[in-house]
Amino acid sequence: MPSLRRLMAVAVPMAMAAAPAMANGGTPHSQWDHLWGHVLLDLVVIGVVFGLGALWMMFRYRAKSPDDVGTGPKLTKAQAIGWALLPAAIFMADDFFLAAKGWSLFTVYRSAPADAMEIKVTGYQWYWEFDYGNGVVTQELKVPVGKPVVLRMTSPDVIHSFGLAEYRVKEDLMPGRVSWLWFVADKPGKTVATCTMYCGLAHSKMYSDVVAVPASEFHAWMESKVRQARATTDSSRG
Ligand code: CUA
């Protein structure tokens, strides 16, 4: 039977090896990926350790004849309590460690940087509208790479939910309320925002492109959009 000391000798360095891997900054979505990776790693390690332990005990302590009742080792009360509490403490420490990481990541998600660019999002049955606050309104979300973006969101009709899988964010939009989320694109590319709350017949058609472009390209695009928007207002005024 492996001693408690031997168990500790395996478990403690394992927990310590995992700790520095968590010291990580980066974008919220990269931190999210990192934390999720750690959760999966823990589940795999714990699953393998317990699986192998169970297999070993099944073999080692199997009944050798039909009337074999077996004999357990005699433990003192302290040993029995130790065997119950120490492994539990080790696993709980890991759980609390991951939970604490989750809470601090939640704080990151709920604290938009002060220099973030704001875009108003409206969820309609059944499309998204993005309002940049300068007359530019689009149905495609274009953002500059490296700039944090805050989305202030509402809905005039039913509850929708703005889901950006690429950036690991999702938030409901509700009539009469303004909800928000923030993200930052760390590289150029095109992804998609989907409605993740069933909102009626064309719910599944409710998605928009989300395009991250270099800042210079974004500003050039924005300038031409502003000009376009002005031209439209001028001509409608006659
Ligand atoms: Cu909007 Cu589902």
Side-chain angles (χ1 to χ4, degrees):
M1 199 168 182
S3 73
L4 204 56
R5 196 168 296 169
R6 228 182 299 165
L7 178 73
M8 297 278 290
V10 176
V12 171
M14 212 151 73
M16 285 169 73
M22 291 303 295
N24 175 52
T27 63
H29 63 276
S30 69
Q31 293 183 55
W32 193 99
D33 284 352
H34 196 91
L35 181 57
W36 181 233
H38 191 158
V39 170
L40 288 183
L41 178 72
D42 279 24
L43 290 176
V44 169
V45 168
I46 290 167
V48 167
V49 167
F50 274 72
L52 290 178
L55 277 177
W56 180 78
M57 287 188 194
M58 277 167 69
F59 179 78
R60 175 72 179 74
Y61 298 109
R62 71 194 187 282
K64 282 157 190 106
S65 67
D67 51 354
D68 188 359
V69 291
T71 50
K74 285 274 170 275
L75 295 179
T76 65
K77 193 180 274 177
Q79 282 172 324
I81 291 173
W83 267 107
L85 288 189
L86 272 174
I90 290 168
F91 287 116
M92 299 262 289
D94 187 55
D95 288 346
F96 284 131
F97 179 68
L98 288 176
K101 282 282 162 194
W103 289 325
S104 68
L105 182 55
F106 178 78
T107 311
V108 172
Y109 267 78
R110 290 284 92 190
S111 324
D115 65 334
M117 179 174 98
E118 287 204 22
I119 302 171
K120 197 176 143 203
V121 181
T122 311
Y124 295 95
Q125 282 172 313
W126 289 277
Y127 62 97
W128 300 108
E129 196 179 81
F130 305 101
D131 184 337
Y132 289 80
N134 53 1
V136 175
V137 177
T138 63
Q139 287 182 19
E140 170 193 278
L141 179 58
K142 202 182 275 261
V143 296
V145 168
K147 179 85 176 159
V149 174
V150 173
L151 304 181
R152 301 233 178 250
M153 312 188 293
T154 193
S155 159
D157 41 53
V158 300
I159 299 178
H160 303 275
S161 185
F162 190 83
L164 253 176
E166 173 78 10
Y167 301 108
R168 311 292 189 247
V169 286
K170 184 164 80 167
E171 195 71 38
D172 284 4
L173 288 77
M174 291 153 284
R177 281 203 239 174
V178 177
S179 55
W180 66 276
L181 58 79
W182 80 276
F183 68 96
V184 54
D186 47 356
K187 55 180 189 297
K190 188 158 125 177
T191 175
V192 69
T194 50
C195 183
T196 55
M197 173 74 76
Y198 182 72
C199 55
L201 277 183
H203 157 73
S204 62
K205 301 246 163 62
M206 192 168 168
Y207 52 84
S208 281
D209 284 340
V210 178
V211 187
V213 294
S216 56
E217 194 178 319
F218 177 83
H219 293 305
W221 170 82
M222 184 52 84
E223 259 170 47
S224 79
K225 279 288 185 186
V226 168
R227 246 179 279 129
Q228 237 175 50
R230 275 200 202 121
T232 318
T233 351
D234 290 348
S235 67
S236 66
R237 279 201 198 110

